[in-house]
Amino acid sequence: MDIKTLTTPLSEEAVASLNVGDFVLLSGMIVTGRDRVHKYLFSELPLPDEIPFELEGAVLYHCGPIVRREDAGYRLIAGGPTTSQRVEMYEWRIIKEYGLRGIIGKGGMGEKTLQAMKEAGCVYLHTISGAAVYLADRIKRVVDGWKVEEFGAPEAMWLMEVEDFPAIVTMDASGNSLHKGVAEKSMGVYKELLGGGA
Amino acid sequence: MLKLKDGIVELYRKVATSLPSDVENELKKAYAAEEEGIAKEAMGVVLENISLARKTSRPICQDTGVPTFFIRVPRQLSQEEVRSIITAATREATEKVPLRPNAVDILTDRNSGDNTGRNIPVIYFEETGEHVLTIDLMLKGSGCENAGQTYKLPAEEIGAQRDLDGVRKCVIDAVFKAQGRGCPPYTLGVGIGATKDQVSVLAKRQLLKRIDERTGDERIIALQARLLDELNRLGIGPLGFGGKTTVIGLNIDYNHRHPASYFVDVSVCCWANRRGRLVWG
């Protein structure tokens, strides 16, 4: 299997060279964000300088980690992906407003996000669902957190440094989606199994 | 009762950091069945993650779920007392294992930070004539919890009438709708009966059974076997990448129903089907 290596922040060219089915290893800084972060960014649209981390060219990881607070800072215990579809109503605006180049998550996203990715130059990187320990071992450190008290640790935005973090491109910047393909294929079998009921 | 608390903290650790052998065996079979490609690669990482979590005593998945207890309590033991021990054990386990704090207040949106809150953990008690206390703990991630569905039959949109074939269609519909969003290969629990609340709990209880359990009415066993084959024909595959194994097992149970009602609930569980039992006394 061919492996492509990527380093954040991602350029438009790097994103454009990725295709559905590519296996990638990502290194550099990434930020996390899930339900609360998306609702907040979408509704309040804070200015980039009100957010402590750079989002231009950034990769946003849909993840609510287990983080332990220690004297020296934060330690990550487990950090796999959360279901991306829940932020489908928000993501298109966040990609466009803040200039994200990559989304890491699981389960894929819908048409609105696919369209925004095509227009703005962004890809969806599907990592290994549930592999929280394996992935935590590829997160070198938690640098800092934003909204930790207000949103709670699982919902905060965390800045993390990753090394050789594995993912598969399942939605690319040309409008292709592996998830659409799987759904269409299963639709045929589904209709057959329901015997014309659907 | 201090020792019971310690036992429950240990149960939390065991359930969060390791999978039951029947589940792990089915996942190994799923890995072996896939052809070379991203689904097989992904299953390889899933298996490595399981062994790494066990070895290093860290939670398999960062989503340690809504702690859900199914308890068989002897007559002489107070449920209130057991509940308060569970609450204390939950606080301690959240800190020690650690678990992810998952209890969020509806009105303030504040996370309690220790997995306790209004009716959290979820506890179902059943009184028995036995002399031992039996505690089953389920830590089910909410990605798959969100993938569950409840049906009222007849459901014309899926051609489901009030019979076992209608139930079959509900289960196929639920998995089709879930696609890869709830972390397949899935284990399913299905409950059939008279009321919406009853079938949801019945479906969830099925997830406590061994996934290879084949007891009960032969019509139900036959339906389970047929569904396992049909669901895997959907081709959603490991993690939704497309492939041979979408579901590794399912259990169905039923209650009597009302003439006007025929409810079916499908509880979807991710590959990290975490459950464990403590027998006390």
Side-chain angles (χ1 to χ4, degrees), chain A residues 96-150:
Chain A
K96 288 182 176 177
E97 289 288 337
Y98 296 100
L100 299 175
R101 292 269 176 233
I103 303 290
I104 307 176
K106 72 161 167 100
M109 300 188 73
E111 207 51 50
K112 252 182 173 165
T113 303
L114 191 62
Q115 194 56 38
M117 285 180 162
K118 195 176 168 185
E119 286 168 26
C122 181
V123 287
Y124 183 84
L125 304 168
H126 196 305
T127 188
I128 312 301
S129 324
V133 176
Y134 181 94
L135 294 173
D137 287 349
R138 280 142 190 86
I139 297 170
K140 283 169 70 182
R141 62 193 176 108
V142 176
V143 182
D144 205 358
W146 180 49
K147 301 262 178 202
V148 180
E149 287 305 315
E150 189 183 344

Side-chain angles (χ1 to χ4, degrees), chain A:
Chain A
M1 188 171 276
D2 278 349
I3 295 172
K4 292 185 177 174
T5 56
L6 293 174
T7 306
T8 61
L10 302 182
S11 66
E12 194 172 356
E13 296 71 38
V15 165
S17 74
L18 297 171
N19 299 304
V20 162
D22 286 349
F23 194 92
V24 303
L25 290 174
L26 184 75
S27 297
M29 294 293 178
I30 64 169
V31 293
T32 68
R34 49 178 293 164
D35 308 68
R36 289 287 296 275
V37 163
H38 280 79
K39 187 179 177 207
Y40 181 76
L41 295 181
F42 181 91
S43 318
E44 307 293 327
L45 281 177
L47 295 169
D49 62 10
E50 293 174 81
I51 303 168
F53 314 134
E54 180 63 55
L55 297 186
E56 181 76 39
V59 173
L60 173 69
Y61 182 19
H62 295 155
C63 171
I66 300 180
V67 177
R68 201 169 231 172
R69 192 167 213 152
E70 291 179 341
D71 293 341
Y74 297 102
R75 187 159 68 91
L76 188 89
I77 307 290
T82 191
T83 312
S84 302
Q85 185 63 32
R86 286 198 313 275
V87 294
E88 173 68 12
M89 67 181 282
Y90 306 120
E91 202 73 281
W92 61 274
R93 177 179 284 175
I94 295 168
I95 289 170
K96 288 182 176 177
E97 289 288 337
Y98 296 100
L100 299 175
R101 292 269 176 233
I103 303 290
I104 307 176
K106 72 161 167 100
M109 300 188 73
E111 207 51 50
K112 252 182 173 165
T113 303
L114 191 62
Q115 194 56 38
M117 285 180 162
K118 195 176 168 185
E119 286 168 26
C122 181
V123 287
Y124 183 84
L125 304 168
H126 196 305
T127 188
I128 312 301
S129 324
V133 176
Y134 181 94
L135 294 173
D137 287 349
R138 280 142 190 86
I139 297 170
K140 283 169 70 182
R141 62 193 176 108
V142 176
V143 182
D144 205 358
W146 180 49
K147 301 262 178 202
V148 180
E149 287 305 315
E150 189 183 344
F151 291 175
E155 294 267 25
M157 180 178 270
W158 297 99
L159 179 69
M160 299 169 166
E161 187 180 359
V162 299
E163 191 175 316
D164 292 337
F165 193 90
I168 292 133
V169 179
T170 58
M171 294 162 68
D172 65 26
S174 312
N176 302 304
S177 164
L178 177 141
H179 308 286
K180 239 162 99 174
V182 170
E184 278 163 14
K185 234 171 129 184
S186 64
M187 173 66 101
V189 182
Y190 167 77
K191 283 187 168 162
E192 180 208 319
L193 293 173
L194 261 53

Side-chain angles (χ1 to χ4, degrees), chain B residues 150-155 160-163 167 191-199 254-265:
Chain B
T150 306
Y151 299 85
K152 281 183 282 194
L153 300 190
Q161 299 185 60
R162 297 174 156 202
D163 49 33
V167 173
I192 314 165
T195 67
K196 199 152 70 61
D197 53 324
Q198 196 188 41
V199 292
Y254 56 94
N255 292 325
H256 273 59
R257 65 178 181 88
H258 182 279
S261 296
Y262 197 124
F263 280 100
V264 179
D265 188 273

